[in-house]
Amino acid sequence: MRIIRTKNYEDMSKKAADLIASVVLLKPNCVLGLATGSSPIGTYDNLVKMYEDGNLDFSQVRSVNLDEYKGLPRTNEQSYYYFMHEHLFSRVNIDPKNTNLPDGMEENSRKACKKYDKIIASMGGVDMQLLGLGHDGHIGFNEPNTEFDKTTHCVNLTQMTIEANKRFFNSIDEVPKQAYTMGVGTIMAAKMVIMVVSGKDKAKILKKAFFGPVTPEVPASILQFHPNFVLVADEDALSLVK
Ligand code: F6R
């Protein structure tokens, strides 16, 4: 595990984007595993800037996202498809045909998950997986559990995650209760994993995940075993780590 300590969110976003840009430069048709949430927004803004400045080309890049709410259509502003479109896809020259998210409107969970795993396999796996860190240690929607889920699966979101996500909806009742998520096994199979973490509110879980025991009760902790894991975190998030 390598830790890149940054001054703040802006600095974290710049450094994470630089790392991702290097992946794209080295392999123009790479498979980027992407995340939603507040942590990677600045990273995407930096990637967009590099594209606008003519320094980065997404024309051959392929992408797979970590997760998608079950039951939200792509047109819903809170769907992860919508998020990715807003923050990255519509702002760079990535071919929409090369972007993938689990199909939130597929009601048959088994079918949706199998289809997504097939897509990831057909792309030859993930070159770089970008992650955020949930307050309970979740990655993607892999919540604390008694075991690590390997492949794409349907999850019931925990009350904590529903609470954390309610800020994006009009009321807590509108927050979807289930999601499709890539499994921990698929995340661990990525050739490189970059996690962006910012803010004092993440300090406790960051310490627990990366300086405590590896356990499915803290899903992110398994990244301690990843051979090419880079944690890009700001001083606030690292404030409990010496
Ligand atoms: C997003 C995702 C989640 C978030 C996590 C942190 O696709 O899978 O695991 O990365 O909930 O969210 P933020 O960045 O909003 O704190």
Side-chain angles (χ1 to χ4, degrees):
M1 174 169 86
R2 262 167 300 159
I3 300 178
I4 298 179
R5 183 182 279 263
T6 69
K7 287 193 276 297
N8 49 32
Y9 182 87
E10 285 67 39
D11 190 21
M12 172 196 83
S13 303
K14 172 81 175 66
K15 293 201 161 74
D18 284 347
L19 290 172
I20 297 169
S22 72
V23 174
V24 176
L25 283 175
L26 288 168
K27 186 177 176 186
N29 67 342
C30 63
V31 177
L32 297 182
L34 301 173
T36 60
S38 46
S39 308
I41 291 178
T43 305
Y44 295 146
D45 287 343
N46 276 277
L47 289 171
V48 169
K49 175 92 178 36
M50 288 181 218
Y51 163 71
E52 286 172 348
D53 291 346
N55 292 322
L56 203 54
D57 174 22
F58 288 82
S59 60
Q60 295 180 63
V61 168
R62 298 165 293 157
S63 75
V64 283
N65 260 77
L66 277 173
D67 41 19
E68 178 60 283
Y69 286 120
K70 183 175 176 183
L72 284 193
R74 289 176 157 203
T75 46
N76 187 302
E77 288 182 18
Q78 297 309 327
S79 75
Y80 287 174
Y81 176 88
Y82 197 96
F83 175 103
M84 288 311 301
H85 194 259
E86 284 289 292
H87 291 285
L88 187 67
F89 299 158
S90 66
R91 302 166 71 199
V92 297
N93 64 336
I94 195 165
D95 184 341
K97 284 200 298 287
N98 288 338
T99 65
N100 299 278
L101 284 92
D103 181 359
M105 291 311 282
E106 173 56 69
E107 279 182 27
N108 182 328
S109 300
R110 253 180 66 92
K111 211 167 143 188
C113 297
K114 254 186 137 172
K115 188 171 137 199
Y116 202 56
D117 283 334
K118 260 193 169 162
I119 290 173
I120 298 169
S122 74
M123 295 168 114
V126 177
D127 290 297
M128 185 291 308
Q129 179 64 56
L130 180 63
L131 296 175
L133 177 63
H135 287 101
D136 57 2
H138 69 240
I139 45 175
F141 270 121
N142 293 279
E143 302 278 9
N145 200 347
T146 49
E147 59 189 72
F148 291 109
D149 281 292
K150 295 188 189 78
T151 55
T152 304
H153 54 288
C154 179
V155 289
N156 297 321
L157 306 187
T158 62
Q159 201 51 39
M160 192 173 184
T161 299
I162 293 170
E163 285 286 338
N165 286 348
K166 79 172 181 211
R167 64 188 193 274
F168 302 118
F169 292 84
N170 292 324
S171 79
I172 193 152
D173 296 333
E174 284 184 20
V175 185
K177 308 294 181 285
Q178 287 189 310
Y180 294 131
T181 183
M182 230 186 234
V184 173
T186 309
I187 293 170
M188 285 298 284
K191 294 183 187 80
M192 178 185 197
V193 177
I194 298 172
M195 178 182 272
V196 279
V197 192
S198 165
K200 274 232 150 62
D201 57 311
K202 294 280 175 76
K204 231 169 143 177
I205 189 64
L206 183 151
K207 186 177 180 199
K208 200 168 167 190
F210 305 120
F211 297 87
V214 173
T215 163
E217 279 158 27
V218 185
S221 64
I222 199 169
L223 294 164
Q224 292 183 43
F225 290 155
H226 194 282
N228 193 11
F229 170 50
V230 187
L231 175 64
V232 189
D234 68 11
E235 279 172 8
D236 280 347
L238 287 165
S239 56
L240 298 179
V241 179
K242 289 200 188 83

